[in-house]
Amino acid sequence: MANATAKSDQAFRTIGELAGELGVPQHILRYWETRFPQLKPLQRAGNRRYYRPADVQLVRRIHRLLNQDGYTIRGVQQLLDGGGDADSVAAPPAPPEAANESGSVPFERLRAIRATLVAALEESAL
């Protein structure tokens, strides 16, 4: 038997329905509205929000970029402002090279420092 409460993909969604679908609190969606000017749900009497199908797709995209792909709010803003295709972006840019990989601190020296710290911790625990 089909779920009687399931809506068509073309149906408008309330903020509660969309928040429940994504598993985020409603205030997160309201916050995203302040940070992403592209996200403008219809507001009816009493400030009730109704998300159009395009809004729902945008919210799902923002949610995926923030919570699965590891983008920051600013990173998603830049991606959306730049007109980039987030669906083709697999991951955020690579992080900068770590200090010990650039050769500024010899790896052996770091191991010696670590060993000294471990010994100091063991002594202080006694």
Side-chain angles (χ1 to χ4, degrees):
M1 184 173 160
N3 186 356
T5 61
K7 283 190 167 184
S8 163
D9 287 341
Q10 297 304 312
F12 285 31
R13 303 245 183 332
T14 65
I15 191 169
E17 292 169 339
L18 188 55
E21 176 185 323
L22 296 175
V24 298
Q26 294 178 16
H27 72 270
I28 297 293
L29 296 178
R30 288 190 291 270
Y31 173 73
W32 289 352
E33 290 173 25
T34 67
R35 294 294 167 223
F36 302 104
Q38 301 88 344
L39 183 58
K40 292 285 185 192
L42 293 175
Q43 290 192 356
R44 301 289 180 174
N47 285 334
R48 291 183 52 97
R49 289 167 169 80
Y50 290 96
Y51 290 85
R52 301 177 204 93
D55 294 325
V56 172
Q57 286 181 333
L58 179 59
V59 168
R60 287 178 183 153
R61 182 178 176 193
I62 292 169
H63 182 262
R64 188 193 77 230
L65 289 168
L66 290 172
N67 297 309
Q68 294 174 2
D69 295 347
Y71 279 85
T72 61
I73 294 281
R74 184 71 183 135
V76 176
Q77 287 172 334
Q78 289 175 346
L79 186 68
L80 294 177
D81 287 342
D85 184 13
D87 295 331
S88 66
V89 178
E97 190 175 293
N100 61 348
E101 292 174 7
S102 66
S104 63
V105 179
F107 195 67
E108 296 78 28
R109 175 97 170 105
L110 290 174
R111 285 185 190 233
I113 293 170
R114 183 174 185 261
T116 303
L117 291 172
V118 168
L121 285 172
E122 288 175 354
E123 285 180 21
S124 67
L126 299 175

